[in-house]
Amino acid sequence: MRSRAAKRQKVFQISLRLFSLLVFALIWEVAGRAEISFGLRPLSGTLKALVDLIGSGDLAYAFLISFRTLITGFSAAAIFGVSLGLIMGTFRRFEHFCNVYLMLLLSMPTAALIPLILLTMGFGFVAESLIVFLFAVPIIAINTHTGVLNIEASLIQMSRCFLASRSQLFLKVILPGSVPMMMAGLRLGLSRAFIGMITAELILSPLGLGRLISISTSKFQYERLFAVTLSILIVAALILDGMQRVERRLLRWRH
Amino acid sequence: MERLGVELHHISKSFEKDGSPVQVLDNLDVRNEAGEFVSFLGPSGCGKTTTLKIIGGLLEPDGGEVIIGNKRVTGPGPDRSIVFQDYALLPWVDVLRNVAFGLELRGVPKGEREEIARTYIQKVKLSGFEHHYPNELSGGMQQRVGLARALAVNPQILLMDEPFASVDEQTRRLFQSDLSDLWQEEQKTVIFITHSMEEAVYLSDRIFVMSARPGRIVEEFVVHLPRPRTAQDIRGSKEFTESVEHLWGVLRELQ
């Protein structure tokens, strides 16, 4: 019984979402054709440019280059951020030592660091990955840390009462207990990693998506510019949605 | 199995509150016999839970000592388990793994510990719920899981910290009679914390009434009701109502 009502609800939600997209597409098309500004191109032209970009392989190549940076920077941020968060949650002193930097990184406009990195490391893959890393790492570490702090004190007492060793306490209580916040941190970290990747490439890269954007702009190929932006939006949304699915599966016990 | 009694010798404990120490327990001197069901009864803030945690080895007393079977308590031990007021179940594992958790920490092989866990799940009347997560269970059922987990490690002494405090009255009465049966069957020494006079009389052999701030024993009351007490009419008996009235008289004096 529940499933039928739930299914109907789901269909309704999805159609509403599609309708919202359709309205947006329509407004875009009309606004583009009305030539409000020279730079604003209609959706139809954008889609045509997108097909061309896919056909020529330019887009796939740009994604390949950019994702190499994204994956490297984000993986490093995930490993480092989660470890840092867990260590901070376990050792009080360490927490106060690190918090300053994390808070600074999280609240400052991270893009302001790019010229510094450029100056010290030059152009290239390593510098770009480092920027992605710096965008993603603070939120991952802070969320994981909060996840550890949020574990109920009674669970720690219970484990002590049943004679858990320090490593058992960590592996069987603290680690699984911090997973929900950790996953949320990774998701936020990934969306910040995307921002870092595009920002870095707009400034630094001779290749990749950012470069494709800046070339299209300077050659007045605005349909291409819109097409690249649209493709990035779609891919980022798909990846984040995939992560949310993984998260939901991992956290089945909450529903 | 050897049965152990608990002796509290001149226990005192104070906590820091707003910079000044507050005396929670003052010179607590209590002996309980092996196999006895003993309750500590008193208003909130009288240090009942603190007493229990000291016996459990989770807190250290400022003065005095706890002796169990001729040995001084210095921390948690395999001879004691605690049933926690807020259940303290791991939300991310199912009932079976929660009940087996104490055994898991002790390195009992998976097959063996699950078999033991299933036995105790049956004893607390939760058969069929082995693979449910805690948040799919009612409060009363969650506490049954907590009780099964505590019994599964086969302690000589069971420490129960207001286990029925957040359970509705109907569930509480059913649970009380099941607990009474289980105690008869398992022959454990039980130390039970409660603020309910009826509950204390129904379950205990002996009741220690405590006063608040600083917590002291103001009366030791022996319950003369026959066992087993699971018969429907025990609560209506003259002895039962008189015992409750007497305890109320003592507690009223303390206000």
Side-chain angles (χ1 to χ4, degrees), chain A residues 102-118:
Chain A
L102 289 176
M103 286 302 167
L104 263 177
L105 263 182
L106 191 66
S107 50
M108 79 184 292
T110 316
L113 285 177
I114 293 177
L116 267 176
I117 290 166
L118 194 63

Side-chain angles (χ1 to χ4, degrees), chain A residues 63 67 70 187 190-195 197-198 209 228-244:
Chain A
F63 262 106
F67 269 51
L70 182 81
R187 201 153 34 83
L190 184 62
S191 70
R192 282 176 61 99
F194 266 103
I195 301 172
M197 174 189 82
I198 300 294
L209 291 166
V228 175
T229 312
L230 188 65
S231 69
I232 295 171
L233 274 177
I234 292 170
V235 169
L238 286 177
I239 291 177
L240 286 171
D241 183 65
M243 261 188 107
Q244 205 154 17

